[in-house]
Amino acid sequence: MTILVTGGAGYIGSHAVRQLRAEGRDVVVLDSLERGDRDALLGAPFVQGDISDSSLVAEVCREHGVDSVIHFAAYKSVGESMTDPAKYWRNNVQGTVDLLEGMLAADVRRIVFSSSAAVYGNPDSLPIREDAPLRTENVYAETKAVMERVIHWYGQTHGVRWASLRYFNAAGASSDGVLGENWDMSTNLLPLVMKAALGASGPVKVFGDDYPTPDGTGVRDYIHVEDLAIAHSKAIEHLDAGRESITLNLGTGRGVSVMEIIRATENTLGRAVPYQVVDRRLGDPATVYADSRLANSVLDWRAKKGLLEIVDSLIRRYNEHREQHESTES
Ligand code: WQD
């Protein structure tokens, strides 16, 4: 039976699609390509369209024999969500309702949802467990929390079974450099460090070095995108086996600081990464990292890659991309 992957032309979605196909699963991708990259599909069956079109969702599910959905399609910029909130409420929340209605019309009742550790905001205690209070501090994070609740209630009212996966900081690229995120669109730390390291931008700005952390800079739980992809396949298996709906943290359980990332990049590249310490970014917690023991046990999954694999994969991605770029330019 086939898995419908919404947003499968995006950063994490495209890695999940590749992983599922490598395991011999049938997939079909629904993506508007508004922010996705058609090349990232690597030939996967694809329908261009929007999750808000419930009749299209139902038609795709029927035509492809879909029995479960992995839902990645959403806007994810914290800054944009605060300047244009309506866009986020409509696309992320209403879009999820429309997707679910399309699924029900085709009698599809299993969904793995791409949630985020952003729902925890600034945590009271560490590591963060799934029963920690939700403390959303921006519209993007709030839409993820609301999407979780919408899916939960479709479970209560329509028998949908679900797995909501709260990612900590997704990072890295495919180990062979073939897939990766669009560095021009990302405001996340790793792409910005890589651009500064490779001379594609000015110095990376370090948002504060006066936090109560070992070296004063912000600490996060960076999880390799290929580890995330495997977790999604395991979550589909969990639902296929008829097991309970569940919310799971996906992280490594280890915190890494901004300076540790800069130093690891310098050591790998053998050159200095230009950086400049500036004021803290409003709303940034000092330290965030996951308690992922529930995912470890329920999914029989654990993150296998660490910071060095993340940095190595990004450098390989850049080199692959540059050769392609130069070959198209020449
Ligand atoms: C990481 C660390 C910054 C940029 C966000 C979203 C979250 C999730 C992941 C989608 C922090 C520091 C960053 C820079 C810096 N996205 N930093 N200079 O804020 O932990 O989480 O992305 O689900 O929802 O909130 O990620 O990469 O922005 O920051 O010093 O130019 O790097 O202060 O300590 P964040 P990030």
Side-chain angles (χ1 to χ4, degrees):
M1 295 297 274
T2 303
I3 301 163
L4 169 64
V5 181
T6 75
Y11 170 42
I12 302 172
S14 58
H15 286 83
V17 166
R18 192 184 192 193
Q19 174 64 32
L20 291 165
R21 298 180 75 206
E23 293 171 2
R25 300 296 304 252
D26 291 320
V27 302
V28 57
V29 173
L30 176 64
D31 196 302
S32 64
L33 295 185
E34 182 191 357
R35 299 192 175 177
D37 173 8
R38 183 189 289 268
D39 293 343
L41 293 167
L42 304 181
F46 169 61
V47 173
Q48 183 168 357
D50 204 297
I51 56 172
S52 60
D53 184 343
S54 300
S55 53
L56 174 64
V57 169
E59 184 189 324
V60 171
C61 286
R62 288 191 199 101
E63 275 182 21
H64 291 263
V66 168
D67 66 344
S68 52
V69 173
I70 304 182
H71 179 28
F72 290 101
Y75 294 144
K76 63 173 187 176
S77 162
V78 171
E80 183 186 48
S81 80
M82 298 302 279
T83 55
D84 190 351
K87 188 181 175 74
Y88 279 67
W89 297 121
R90 288 194 188 103
N91 184 66
N92 291 7
V93 178
Q94 181 60 50
T96 298
V97 172
D98 296 332
L99 169 69
L100 286 159
E101 286 300 316
M103 288 168 57
L104 291 181
D107 199 23
V108 175
R109 283 180 163 72
R110 296 203 287 269
I111 184 168
V112 173
F113 172 53
S114 166
S115 189
S116 168
V119 302
Y120 296 118
N122 198 341
D124 294 330
S125 61
L126 291 163
I128 303 177
R129 293 165 27 127
E130 286 84 358
D131 59 2
L134 300 195
R135 197 170 286 145
T136 49
E137 297 183 346
N138 53 69
V139 168
Y140 160 76
E142 186 67 30
T143 65
K144 286 292 183 177
V146 172
M147 290 154 91
E148 286 188 6
R149 299 309 295 160
V150 166
I151 292 167
H152 161 82
W153 281 103
Y154 267 82
Q156 301 296 98
T157 58
H158 289 84
V160 169
R161 279 187 307 106
W162 49 268
S164 281
L165 307 180
R166 292 175 178 167
Y167 314 155
F168 282 68
N169 289 56
S174 61
S175 309
D176 59 5
V178 167
L179 291 177
E181 71 182 308
N182 181 331
W183 291 5
D184 299 331
M185 284 166 66
S186 177
T187 59
N188 288 134
L189 179 68
L190 269 294
L192 295 173
V193 167
M194 296 313 295
K195 282 165 75 172
L198 298 162
S201 74
V204 62
K205 291 184 172 55
V206 175
F207 294 151
D209 63 356
D210 57 351
Y211 283 103
T213 61
D215 63 20
T217 62
V219 171
R220 296 290 184 275
D221 185 333
Y222 296 95
I223 177 164
H224 197 289
V225 63
E226 286 181 326
D227 281 329
L228 281 180
I230 294 166
H232 287 76
S233 175
K234 294 277 192 172
I236 286 285
E237 288 170 16
H238 174 86
L239 297 179
D240 284 350
R243 294 170 62 190
E244 74 287 6
S245 295
I246 195 163
T247 301
L248 297 169
N249 286 340
L250 298 185
T252 67
R254 290 183 304 281
V256 171
S257 76
V258 175
M259 281 318 297
E260 284 176 292
I261 284 177
I262 289 174
R263 298 299 178 225
T265 305
E266 290 179 331
N267 294 339
T268 305
L269 281 175
R271 76 167 84 122
V273 173
Y275 70 90
Q276 177 192 6
V277 178
V278 298
D279 291 341
R280 294 182 178 189
R281 179 172 61 178
L282 199 63
D284 270 357
T287 302
V288 172
Y289 59 92
D291 178 336
S292 281
R293 285 175 297 176
L294 196 54
N296 299 156
S297 60
V298 167
L299 299 184
D300 184 27
W301 165 91
R302 88 179 33 252
K304 292 193 167 61
K305 296 177 191 280
L307 180 56
L308 292 185
E309 287 89 353
I310 286 173
V311 172
D312 282 346
S313 64
L314 287 170
I315 291 167
R316 187 164 301 113
R317 165 73 178 163
Y318 175 80
N319 291 330
E320 286 281 317
H321 206 57
R322 186 177 52 180
E323 279 153 27
Q324 280 168 8
H325 195 61
E326 282 160 359
S327 62
T328 48
E329 275 195 336
S330 56

